């Protein structure tokens, strides 16, 4: 116990207190402030944490979907996590995050007791230089404090990169990314990282575009040993869009350990105005 | 009105009746019977239909996630669809399907009023021969009646195909698929089709493996004109897994119109025992 070690901003931002009626209360944190309300990845991480902290929880997360219904206002929020079905080795959850003026986010999760089986990885990790050979880039933005909570080292696909002509631009980003300050990886941090990619429309169009993630789904492939082995070193992330149109685009993303283990796949759909 | 036209099995299987308290009741249909309970794609389609039929519905589906909590028993079920948040142009839903012995499936959906914007498709449609040049294959199975409700024309990646040596096998399937009997495409049929791919583990391992989809997420890219233009002709589907391990694998899938429009992307996580 080192009482002098400051709490990591991610732990502070996802701290929950259990209430007498079995719900949880939390509080947005200025470190993860976005344009309007907090960075969605941290909201998702807090909602997952409500399940992790729930006394009835069985096993570990396999699938987690969060729908962002309305902006979370700076201040307190309340999360209700309900184990709607518990089977022998799986458990199904619904989760709701509310503030005084109504529902701000909903989520569902599948948790499971997982055991060893046949295994194989078909996705290929992008061939990239090691993190230490890629300079960190800073996208400082006073309106988006949360940018400062991640160290990013872009290999391909920065936002606003007009150096690549429009005809040759795609939406693919590949980067090394970790919490800043460094923090040992766990499932809460991995959840937030799954949502940390810049919006694909800004990569493809190389311009600021009003956006908002409306739904994100994460599938967790990592086992606890994979997470522990990764420590606080950068993960490799890669993301692309399949289709943009009629105000929305999707994103398909993968997060890899630096030793080549696929830790999570993540999918989302993003509102945009362009 | 042609009173002599029989109702399509998919319409019969997704028919819902609104109850006095605002819920919906439906009934499993033998045409879509699976090993245990009905084919999950039809359960998902019925849950989406509850939103489509709800008097408070705004717009069309953008994102839809279904978690299969327990096997649906043959017989009646009850669906409650709740519009938890309605904004100016988006609406967030939670949906629960119950039978007498509890919750069988949960879902969340984002609906929206969509409007024309800049658009682009980055995924590439697989290069394939036209449907009429690919012979239909039948995977008749008396325990899985729902196989008969789809016409499948495999270009690559049939299940149980031991003709390809294990060292060269991957989990990719590419096929032409449509409702059988033919039925004009709509969002209900597209929802079921998103879940119609065989489990990737059976393609990769070329053997029967006990499986069950636990969670599926669909992103709808098609506009109503795209759906109408497709009519009842086969769609091109392609699916792959990213990683298999510890009892679960994911699936990343795309469904294309025969004229090359990406209609939907679909993701799921599947329990397996191998």
């Amino acid at each position: 116990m080192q009482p002098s070690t400051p709490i990591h901003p991610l732990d502070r931002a996802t701290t929950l207190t259990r209430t007498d009626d079995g719900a949880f209360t939390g509080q947005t944190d200025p470190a993860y402030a976005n344009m309007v309300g907090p960075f969605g990845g941290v909201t998702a991480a807090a909602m997952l944490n409500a399940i992790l902290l729930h006394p009835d929880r069985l096993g570990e997360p396999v699938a987690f979907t969060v729908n962002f219904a309305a902006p979370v206002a700076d201040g307190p929020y309340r999360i209700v996590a309900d184990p709607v079905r518990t089977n022998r080795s799986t458990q199904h959850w619904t989760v709701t995050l509310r503030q005084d003026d109504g529902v701000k986010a909903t989520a569902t999760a599948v948790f499971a007791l997982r055991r060893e089986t046949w295994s194989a990885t078909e996705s290929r990790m992008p061939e990239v230089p090691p993190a230490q050979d890629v300079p960190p880039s800073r996208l400082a933005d006073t309106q988006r404090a949360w940018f400062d909570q991640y160290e990013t080292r872009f290999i391909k696909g920065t936002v606003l990169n007009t150096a690549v002509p429009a005809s040759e631009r795609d939406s693919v980003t590949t980067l090394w990314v970790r919490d800043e300050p460094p923090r040992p990886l766990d499932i809460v941090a991995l959840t937030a990282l799954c949502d940390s990619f810049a919006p694909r429309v800004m990569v493809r169009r190389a311009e600021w575009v009003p956006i908002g993630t409306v739904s994100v789904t994460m599938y967790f492939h990592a086992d606890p040993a994979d997470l522990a082995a990764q420590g606080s070193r950068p993960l490799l992330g890669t993301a692309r869009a399949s289709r943009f149109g009629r105000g929305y685009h999707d994103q398909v993303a993968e997060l890899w350990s630096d030793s080549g283990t696929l830790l999570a796949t993540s999918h989302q759909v993003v509102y945009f105005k362009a």
Side-chain angles (χ1 to χ4, degrees), chain A:
Chain A
M1 184 71 185
Q2 292 178 293
S4 60
T5 304
I7 187 171
H8 191 280
L10 183 67
D11 295 303
R12 201 173 61 215
T14 57
T15 294
L16 298 176
T17 305
R18 193 153 162 92
T19 61
D20 290 344
D21 61 357
F24 292 91
T25 55
Q27 175 97 20
T28 62
D29 193 286
Y32 290 93
N34 204 350
M35 281 278 278
V36 180
F39 160 51
V42 158
T43 302
M47 294 178 84
L48 187 75
N49 204 26
I51 305 175
L52 295 170
L53 295 172
H54 198 289
D56 297 340
R57 191 226 337 154
L58 180 80
E60 56 184 295
V62 174
F64 184 50
T65 294
V66 181
N67 290 355
F68 299 100
V72 175
D74 293 336
Y77 53 76
R78 180 180 154 89
I79 298 176
V80 174
D82 186 15
V84 293
R85 180 104 196 181
T86 301
N87 300 312
R88 207 171 46 215
S89 65
T90 60
Q91 190 174 50
H92 288 259
W93 292 84
T94 61
V95 186
T96 307
L97 185 151
R98 287 175 186 269
Q99 291 182 313
D100 286 342
D101 52 341
V103 171
K104 300 303 179 74
T106 68
T108 61
V110 182
F111 274 58
L113 296 171
R114 299 181 73 161
R115 48 182 182 66
E116 289 310 314
T117 59
W118 171 77
S119 67
T121 300
E122 284 204 10
S123 285
R124 296 292 192 90
M125 187 178 183
E127 290 182 22
V128 296
Q132 66 266 25
D133 293 352
V134 183
S137 61
R138 286 210 51 188
L139 198 65
D141 185 321
T142 54
Q143 293 190 288
R144 295 174 181 83
W146 75 274
F147 286 0
D148 290 339
Q149 310 316 131
Y150 291 98
E151 184 207 78
T152 53
R153 298 168 185 258
F154 283 88
I155 295 145
K156 172 178 162 48
T158 56
V159 293
L160 314 183
N161 183 7
T162 50
V164 180
S167 61
E168 293 169 25
R169 238 183 272 134
D170 64 21
S171 72
V172 177
T173 288
T174 301
L175 84 172
W176 290 106
V177 58
R178 64 158 171 80
D179 285 295
E180 173 62 39
R183 178 185 178 281
L185 187 66
D186 62 12
I187 205 80
V188 170
L190 186 59
T191 296
L193 282 158
C194 277
D195 191 37
S196 71
F197 295 91
R200 299 299 92 207
V201 65
M202 295 195 202
V203 177
R204 172 67 184 262
R205 291 180 58 96
E207 62 185 14
W208 284 112
V209 173
I211 63 95
T213 297
V214 296
S215 183
V216 60
T217 289
M218 301 155 193
Y219 299 140
F220 298 109
H221 306 289
D223 68 22
D226 294 328
L227 297 176
Q230 179 63 23
S232 58
R233 299 185 308 281
L235 310 188
L236 186 77
T238 186
R240 65 173 179 85
S242 307
R243 186 176 172 189
F244 304 85
R246 299 174 70 230
Y248 292 86
H249 70 79
D250 71 327
Q251 177 180 284
V252 180
E254 296 177 344
L255 282 166
W256 296 79
S257 78
D258 59 354
S259 61
T261 299
L262 183 59
L263 301 174
T265 45
S266 172
H267 306 286
Q268 64 177 263
V269 63
V270 177
Y271 163 82
F272 72 89
K273 196 169 173 179

